Amino acid sequence: MIASMNRVRCLVFNAALGPLDYKVPDGMVVEPGSVVECPLGPRTIIGIVWEAERLPGSEVPAEKLRNLRGVLPVPPLSAALRRLIEWTADYYVASLASVARMALSSGGALKGPASITEYRLTGGLPERMTPQRQTALEALEGEQATIRELAGIAGVSEGVLRGLVNQGALEPVQVDCDRPYDAARPDFAQPELSEDQRDVADRLCDAVRAKSFAPFLLDGVTGSGKTETYFEPMAEALRRGRQVLVLLPEIALTENFLHRFEERFGAKPVVWHSSLKSTERRRAWRNVASGEAQVVVGARSALFLPFANLGLIVVDEAHEISFKQEDGVRYNARDVAVMRAHFEQVPVVLASATPALESLQMAESGVYEKLDLPSRFGGAELPCIATIDLTEEKPGAGQWLAHRLVDGIEERLARGEQSLLFLNRRGYAPLTLCRNCGFRFQCPNCSAWLVEHRFTRKLACHHCGHETKQPETCPECGEPDCLVACGPGVERIADEVAERLPDARVFVATSDTLNSPSRAAEFIAQVEAGAIDVIVGTQLVTKGFHFPELTLVGVVDADLGLEGGDLRAGERTYQQVAQVAGRAGRGEKPGEVLLQTRHPEASVIAALAAGDRDAFYEAETEARRHAGAPPFGRWASIIVSSEEDAEAREAAQKIGGHRPHVDDLVILGPAPAPMALLRGRYRYRFLINARRNVQLQAIIRQWLSEIDHPAGVRIGVDIDPYSFV
Ligand code: ADP
Ligand code: ZN
């Protein structure tokens, strides 16, 4: 069959074009999934050979077909990955090309085997020593990298290093770009599992051996040892020579995970995330495609890697909203992971202490198999949660922490224990205004206030990154010394702790301060060494950490998440507080959690304080059922945007004028989006609510395909949206 394929249909990397047909020249061998070079006018574009029957295209007569130019030196994309690409494009109303591009996510990898020249010290000294050469020699001890990378490490110019090469102090080494990774050993350090853990691990190992699609919801309280437990089926997959994909939400904080992985398997896993260097990217991609990479730990984009021989997928902290991609193809990695497992015919484990309602519902209806780890490993108790009603226990003027909370921190300080204050707001204050004229600092590109960052003395927009220096005088009325900070961010809370407890060593843990793996590692080491007494942090510190001396968690504003009014606000607050509470009392000492709130009676807060998870999920389930919200009904949103307000508005009205009229489907809008201006674009929104029986995607695709727009208009479709801004 392959030999007779002299006419092929290709999915080409150009969203404006449909599939194109080409002739396969004599001597060239292609099959579905082959990555090929296609002529297009005078240019060459990349394409993927696809089954013609799955990609309707135009029937160009054979004599008009142009020859394919070449086949790229990578294995053909597997049928399972091709089906995943089709499903993702179809479900999320995206173009096939934009999804396929996520699979070919390393340009370098497509070029085939290669080597690069790296340099390392020889031990020899240059004839003439200069201060810069001296610096370089000291800094580069034990390093091996390209000249440019070494210059970055040593903080000297590339010229200085070339001088050292000429003098024989640095020597070149040829390195294979795609050299294999250290081997992970399934039996390197197998832990003694508790009985509960053993039962769960056995079930999962069976599923790995069965090598068929099996979705699991691993529901285990914080500290129950979910990681230790799912390491076992991973080991089982490795023993069988199969690959494993582990998806984690916050790649910045995988340091802790990587460390545990190495202790268990004796080698580091392959990591995959958006800020990999291009050389690391190609090495990972090619090793995944060849089947040599054993375990990939990655952010959501790792889902589209070309695994040769996948045996298991694990999604840890599966409830996390950061699994939802919010630009480009708006997919939810948790759901796509289940589909990948389906197409690959392998088990998939969704692990969480606070599963998404959608996942629990799938377990209840028998689609997912639920596995429970109901208690903490080693008998540690779950922390006791109490509320502080801020309307009664008011903090002092200009303060945000109630006395009871500060007393709690002080007690821990006296005992040499640690406390964590959680507030999901970076910076010093979320709003700055002029006391004299009322002027408020707003982002020029977004419908958002600028956030004061006192460490860097800047006002910043958290949506687009716009920054400006904090001025001395009000830009509106010119009055000096009149600017006041409104509301607290983590920096302000840290200041308050430092002021009220001057002996406390306080650390602000946010994406501003823990912005690299090495900084994250240093932070962990400092906490473990007892060099930090109080951590003030955002959601970055709510998960993954295991600090035995941390016995108090204070939630500065438990109501914060409830303000936005979006449909998952209650669930998100519950998950966030439960996660951060799970950081307390993980060692032998019991933990305590204090929630500051103005609404102790709200069902989320009451359920948290009572430790009654089931009551919360039941109330939430009923509310969603009533509202026709997921998982009982479906939502979609359409955002129409342009740099010109009028253009965006007109396009939205035109779309509104063509709205379909379908039973069981309600379309709201167009209306200005809550973030009516975002990164310089004006935005209008439709919200669509449908019953489960409605063919939502097909209707939206048909609806939008009928209308043309000016080039400056962008239309974004979001199926199962998480963000309602
Ligand atoms: P979870 O992810 O469920 O919150 P972890 O996997 O982080 O829990 O486990 C909590 C702590 O207990 C970790 O320090 C882990 O190393 C330890 N632990 C869990 N199970 C075992 C085990 N079987 N043997 C030794 N230590 C364990
Ligand atoms: Zn902005």
Side-chain angles (χ1 to χ4, degrees):
M1 183 256 173
I2 289 172
S4 70
M5 273 177 77
N6 61 1
R7 176 188 181 122
V8 287
R9 185 151 296 167
C10 293
L11 170 61
V12 293
F13 280 15
N14 182 326
L17 295 175
L20 299 176
D21 286 4
Y22 289 94
K23 199 162 122 204
V24 183
D26 289 346
M28 185 187 284
V29 179
V30 298
E31 59 183 290
S34 293
V35 184
V36 291
E37 294 176 307
C38 309
L40 184 73
R43 293 180 301 134
T44 300
I45 57 175
I46 291 187
I48 303 171
V49 176
W50 218 266
E51 295 91 329
E53 66 277 13
R54 308 187 71 101
L55 270 193
S58 64
E59 292 300 325
V60 179
E63 62 279 10
K64 288 215 172 147
L65 291 182
R66 295 179 71 182
N67 274 338
L68 283 177
R69 290 243 160 88
V71 186
L72 295 181
V74 289
L77 299 189
S78 67
L81 182 51
R82 297 200 302 279
R83 299 296 83 81
L84 184 78
I85 291 169
E86 289 168 354
W87 181 86
T88 306
D90 190 54
Y91 188 88
Y92 293 106
V93 192
S95 75
L96 273 172
S98 60
V99 181
R101 196 173 279 128
M102 299 196 290
L104 299 188
S105 44
S106 161
L110 304 181
K111 297 193 181 111
S115 65
I116 43 164
T117 310
E118 293 187 338
Y119 292 82
R120 63 179 176 213
L121 294 179
T122 57
L125 292 177
E127 265 169 44
R128 199 169 57 81
M129 190 58 93
T130 65
Q132 284 198 315
R133 286 179 173 179
Q134 186 69 43
T135 310
L137 291 177
E138 282 164 19
L140 298 183
E141 192 62 51
E143 301 285 352
Q144 177 177 314
T146 62
I147 288 281
R148 178 188 295 180
E149 288 161 356
L150 290 179
I153 295 168
V156 300
S157 73
E158 293 179 34
V160 170
L161 298 186
R162 284 205 201 87
L164 287 173
V165 176
N166 289 337
Q167 301 263 321
L170 278 176
E171 66 181 355
V173 210
Q174 282 307 113
V175 184
D176 173 8
C177 290
D178 309 328
R179 61 204 174 281
Y181 296 89
D182 292 340
R185 286 143 60 191
D187 303 306
F188 181 76
Q190 200 165 10
E192 192 76 34
L193 295 186
S194 71
E195 208 170 302
D196 283 347
Q197 291 176 337
R198 185 78 263 157
D199 289 346
V200 171
D202 285 349
R203 177 71 196 93
L204 293 174
C205 288
D206 281 348
V208 167
R209 283 187 290 268
K211 206 171 188 311
S212 61
F213 174 55
F216 294 94
L217 177 61
L218 173 51
D219 184 359
V221 299
T222 54
S224 57
K226 291 187 286 297
T227 317
E228 249 72 24
T229 306
Y230 69 64
F231 275 171
E232 292 314 298
M234 284 168 59
E236 188 60 25
L238 294 184
R239 282 183 206 108
R240 276 146 208 277
R242 299 188 201 136
Q243 298 171 291
V244 179
L245 168 62
V246 182
L247 289 183
L248 295 178
E250 297 283 350
I251 208 66
L253 280 185
T254 52
E255 211 47 33
N256 176 38
F257 181 89
L258 298 183
H259 181 70
R260 280 175 73 178
F261 183 92
E262 199 172 350
E263 291 200 327
R264 170 66 181 80
F265 293 102
K268 289 193 172 65
V270 179
V271 292
W272 180 268
H273 53 81
S274 56
S275 43
L276 282 187
K277 286 188 298 192
S278 62
T279 48
E280 294 167 328
R281 194 167 261 278
R282 75 161 278 155
R283 182 182 176 201
W285 197 95
R286 289 189 67 87
N287 272 277
V288 170
S290 71
E292 265 157 297
Q294 295 167 289
V295 179
V296 177
V297 175
R300 55 186 181 232
S301 58
L303 263 178
F304 294 94
L305 283 169
F307 287 93
N309 181 20
L310 196 60
L312 171 70
I313 302 176
V314 176
V315 185
D316 203 352
E317 311 285 5
H319 61 279
E320 272 293 318
I321 59 163
S322 63
F323 280 125
K324 181 73 197 318
Q325 166 126 332
E326 292 295 355
D327 47 22
V329 182
R330 293 182 173 81
Y331 65 94
N332 187 328
R334 183 182 74 226
D335 297 333
V336 179
V338 173
M339 290 315 292
R340 176 125 203 200
H342 167 74
F343 291 123
E344 300 276 357
Q345 287 295 304
V346 298
V348 53
V349 181
L350 309 180
S352 174
T354 51
L357 200 68
E358 284 89 336
S359 304
L360 277 176
Q361 193 65 31
M362 292 297 261
E364 221 150 85
S365 59
V367 181
Y368 296 174
E369 181 172 337
K370 190 155 171 289
L371 302 172
D372 294 303
L373 291 174
S375 50
R376 282 187 157 181
F377 179 76
E381 292 289 316
L382 280 169
C384 144
I385 302 184
T387 52
I388 296 179
D389 183 347
L390 288 180
T391 61
E392 298 195 342
E393 299 182 49
K394 290 197 179 74
Q399 296 184 336
W400 312 97
L401 305 175
H403 288 290
R404 184 141 60 99
L405 180 50
V406 176
D407 291 348
I409 301 172
E410 197 169 15
E411 273 171 41
R412 300 316 189 284
L413 213 49
R415 294 207 294 262
E417 296 171 9
Q418 294 161 323
S419 308
L420 165 64
L421 293 176
F422 169 68
L423 176 64
N424 208 15
R425 251 201 211 137
R426 289 158 52 210
Y428 184 82
L431 167 67
T432 305
L433 58 74
C434 171
R435 202 187 308 120
N436 190 44
C437 73
F439 174 81
R440 297 166 167 218
F441 284 85
Q442 192 174 358
C443 176
N445 313 316
C446 306
S447 313
W449 307 126
L450 292 180
V451 178
E452 179 183 354
H453 284 248
R454 209 157 266 197
F455 291 164
T456 53
R457 312 195 58 78
K458 287 203 172 120
L459 297 171
C461 172
H462 287 178
H463 298 279
C464 71
H466 171 85
E467 279 189 349
T468 135
K469 252 188 72 189
Q470 165 120 20
E472 306 283 329
T473 58
C474 171
E476 188 71 14
C477 67
E479 188 77 8
D481 298 327
C482 61
L483 301 179
V484 282
C486 299
V490 282
E491 293 178 7
R492 195 170 199 175
I493 298 297
D495 275 7
E496 182 177 337
V497 174
E499 200 170 289
R500 294 171 73 175
L501 301 170
D503 293 337
R505 291 161 300 174
V506 186
F507 184 85
V508 175
T510 67
S511 54
D512 299 307
T513 57
L514 302 181
N515 50 14
S516 71
S518 61
R519 286 191 169 192
E522 192 187 342
F523 163 68
I524 292 169
Q526 287 215 336
V527 180
E528 282 173 350
I532 292 173
D533 302 308
V534 184
I535 305 164
V536 185
T538 57
Q539 46 89 23
L540 210 57
V541 294
T542 57
K543 57 194 155 279
F545 292 114
H546 183 73
F547 298 135
E549 294 299 321
L550 202 164
T551 57
L552 174 66
V553 166
V555 177
V556 176
D557 186 350
D559 311 328
L560 189 59
L562 294 174
E563 280 164 11
D566 83 61
L567 90 99
R568 289 188 182 80
E571 182 185 63
R572 204 170 298 172
T573 297
Y574 185 86
Q575 288 167 337
Q576 218 163 43
V577 173
Q579 286 286 335
V580 70
R583 297 313 107 202
R586 292 170 71 95
E588 282 161 16
K589 299 170 185 163
E592 181 183 4
V593 180
L594 293 171
L595 305 183
Q596 296 199 132
T597 174
R598 290 190 164 72
H599 305 284
E601 74 294 343
S603 69
V604 186
I605 309 286
L608 282 162
D612 193 347
R613 197 180 95 150
D614 292 347
F616 170 72
Y617 276 115
E618 270 165 37
E620 185 70 12
T621 304
E622 273 326 297
R624 295 239 199 133
R625 198 192 300 276
H626 188 72
F632 305 101
R634 308 191 48 202
W635 289 93
S637 76
I638 301 176
I639 298 271
V640 182
S641 71
S642 164
E643 287 176 12
E644 303 288 334
D645 190 12
E647 192 176 73
R649 190 173 50 238
E650 277 159 30
Q653 279 162 354
K654 199 164 157 193
I655 294 174
H658 284 76
R659 76 183 61 220
H661 296 278
V662 179
D663 287 347
D664 297 334
L665 178 103
V666 179
I667 299 173
L668 306 171
M675 292 281 289
L677 178 64
L678 182 63
R679 293 180 208 104
R681 300 183 70 85
Y682 293 87
R683 306 164 77 241
Y684 290 81
R685 186 183 71 172
F686 293 88
L687 259 188
I688 302 155
N689 185 215
R691 293 256 188 92
R692 294 206 63 93
N693 57 333
V694 173
Q695 298 289 319
L696 185 60
Q697 287 90 338
I699 292 169
I700 292 177
R701 200 177 292 110
Q702 175 63 30
W703 173 19
L704 296 179
S705 70
E706 291 165 1
I707 310 158
D708 289 330
H709 300 291
V713 172
R714 248 188 257 155
I715 311 228
V717 178
D718 197 351
I719 302 291
D720 308 336
Y722 271 60
S723 162
F724 287 83
V725 300

